[in-house]
Amino acid sequence: MILDVVKLGEDVLRQKAQPVPEVNDEIRQLAEDMFETMIEAEGVGLAAPQIGKSLRMFVLIADDDVRRVFINPQIIQTSSETSEYDEGCLSIPQVYETIVRPVRVTVQALNEKGKPFTLDADGLLARIIQHEYDHLDGILYIDRGDKAFAEKTEAQFKKRAERAAQKAKEKAAKAAKIAAKIAAKEAKKTK
């Protein structure tokens, strides 16, 4: 099932996610739904907070086309060597910024079967892991770049949310008006 991806400004994106208490069928189904959502949105990674779930898990498909599930992950080592890359995010659509991150990471996690694993990753895979891992701590990629850019982006998304809320309010008021007119006509018919 394709899930809604929450956008910048939603509180869940800024909260520290809770550990997954048990890897069960519900968590496995959530991982499947997250893959489906991520693929539909043409993303390479998706963390549970991005679909409104405050859980420490994420999924990804890097340039090796392997589907990976990370449950309760911990990055235990990063390289001192770094690289720059233009990052984007499904929760901040069509906004990109050059972000510096370590080139290599070592991560420990549980897979969708609840089995522990350790992965040494580099390149794009390492970058996606770090990006998604940040989501679990309420950190967005814009927080790792230029402060002015981050502030401008947050302000833009706040304005978008306010406009959307205003439109929804106007639409609801219009629907209520129409419903009231229909009710009044029906009341006249029954007299």
Side-chain angles (χ1 to χ4, degrees):
M1 171 181 18
I2 294 176
L3 307 167
D4 290 332
V5 176
V6 299
K7 303 296 186 265
L8 179 61
E10 294 286 332
D11 290 342
V12 70
L13 291 176
R14 292 300 190 177
Q15 297 166 353
K16 191 170 176 79
Q18 300 302 306
V20 173
E22 178 189 5
V23 180
N24 54 26
D25 288 343
E26 186 180 329
I27 292 298
R28 282 186 276 281
Q29 184 59 56
L30 180 60
E32 266 314 301
D33 292 346
M34 288 171 66
F35 273 120
E36 198 175 324
T37 302
M38 179 191 78
I39 291 165
E40 176 70 20
E42 298 180 7
V44 292
L46 185 67
Q50 292 181 273
I51 47 133
K53 305 274 186 193
S54 185
L55 293 170
R56 295 190 75 77
M57 68 180 283
F58 61 83
V59 300
L60 64 81
I61 302 175
D63 46 358
D64 59 3
D65 287 332
V66 176
R67 292 166 58 113
R68 292 185 173 92
V69 177
F70 296 77
I71 298 170
N72 297 333
Q74 287 189 303
I75 292 178
I76 57 171
Q77 191 173 343
T78 59
S79 66
S80 56
E81 182 187 355
T82 61
S83 68
E84 292 183 344
Y85 190 84
D86 274 356
E87 287 189 27
C89 181
L90 296 177
S91 291
I92 312 175
Q94 294 148 358
V95 176
Y96 301 91
E97 186 177 15
T98 302
I99 303 297
V100 177
R101 293 195 189 265
V103 173
R104 286 178 299 286
V105 298
T106 302
V107 62
Q108 291 178 333
L110 300 176
N111 67 16
E112 67 278 11
K113 294 175 183 156
K115 301 281 186 234
F117 69 93
T118 301
L119 176 67
D120 293 314
D122 61 9
L124 182 60
L125 178 58
R127 182 167 292 274
I128 299 168
I129 289 168
Q130 292 171 82
H131 177 110
E132 301 308 330
Y133 186 84
D134 275 353
H135 276 298
L136 307 183
D137 290 329
I139 299 167
L140 301 174
Y141 77 98
I142 59 172
D143 302 332
R144 298 207 176 270
D146 179 68
K147 188 175 172 26
F149 179 81
E151 288 170 357
K152 178 181 161 198
T153 303
E154 296 238 23
Q156 281 178 322
F157 274 79
K158 185 177 180 184
K159 279 184 187 171
R160 282 186 201 176
E162 287 168 355
R163 280 195 305 267
Q166 183 61 34
K167 281 184 181 178
K169 188 176 173 182
E170 289 167 5
K171 189 175 178 179
K174 190 175 182 179
K177 221 182 223 183
I178 291 169
K181 282 182 181 178
I182 292 170
K185 281 184 182 180
E186 292 298 318
K188 281 183 183 178
K189 285 182 187 177
T190 57
K191 285 186 180 179

